[in-house]
Amino acid sequence: MLNKYLLTLGIIDTLNKWNEELNKFASEHLDNVAVGTLIIGIIIFVSFIGIGSLNKK
């Protein structure tokens, strides 16, 4: 039981560290409107490709 609790705490610590790193990266690089627009465009493009490939018979 104690081992699983310690494992869970380790996973939570790792996730918190990744979250801090992602927040730091986002605050440095993603404050630009053009970058946000590019990311949304890529997500939409990939979504259309995925939907198109799933709808093929």
Side-chain angles (χ1 to χ4, degrees):
M1 175 88 175
L2 182 62
N3 189 19
K4 290 182 182 179
Y5 178 71
L6 293 175
L7 179 64
T8 303
L9 286 178
I11 292 171
I12 291 172
D13 288 339
T14 303
L15 288 175
N16 284 334
K17 187 173 76 172
W18 288 353
N19 186 33
E20 290 172 3
E21 291 176 8
L22 285 173
N23 285 337
K24 186 175 122 183
F25 176 80
S27 68
E28 292 174 358
H29 295 53
L30 300 179
D31 285 341
N32 190 352
V33 174
V35 174
T37 304
L38 182 64
I39 291 172
I40 295 296
I42 290 171
I43 291 172
I44 291 172
F45 179 72
V46 170
S47 300
F48 280 128
I49 290 174
I51 290 169
S53 68
L54 290 174
N55 284 334
K56 289 182 181 176
K57 291 184 178 181

